Amino acid sequence: MMNYNIPSLADFKAYLEINDSSKRDSKIDIGLMDVRKHGTLENFLECEDLFVELLLNYPTTLPAELALPEVIYTVLSH
């Protein structure tokens, strides 16, 4: 079985610090896809509060519209 590098809460917080919105959104999108496809419930639960924060703060301060569908899909799939 392959060992996937699932983003941690610290990884997602670092992604949010990226100033370039397209790079930030891309990193978040890829991270969300990795959590959804290869992560365990434990991976999801570690980041759950951040995912909810992304939803609640959209679109004001946290990622732009490219990331929102991935956040919603990730939250609903767990």
Side-chain angles (χ1 to χ4, degrees), residues 7-77:
S8 67
L9 181 59
D11 292 328
F12 278 108
K13 287 182 177 181
Y15 302 159
L16 291 171
E17 298 297 319
I18 298 171
N19 289 326
D20 181 318
S21 63
S22 65
K23 288 181 183 177
R24 179 186 63 224
D25 290 342
S26 177
K27 291 291 275 185
I28 290 170
D29 285 347
I30 291 168
L32 289 168
M33 285 187 272
D34 286 343
V35 167
R36 194 172 61 250
K37 290 179 182 177
H38 309 293
T40 64
L41 182 58
E42 183 178 308
N43 299 125
F44 174 79
L45 292 176
E46 176 190 7
C47 300
E48 182 179 24
D49 289 341
L50 179 75
F51 297 158
V52 171
E53 184 180 340
L54 291 174
L55 289 173
L56 294 175
N57 287 296
Y58 171 83
T60 56
T61 58
L62 296 174
E65 54 211 37
L66 292 178
L68 187 65
E70 291 295 339
V71 174
I72 292 170
Y73 189 51
T74 303
V75 169
L76 293 177
S77 70

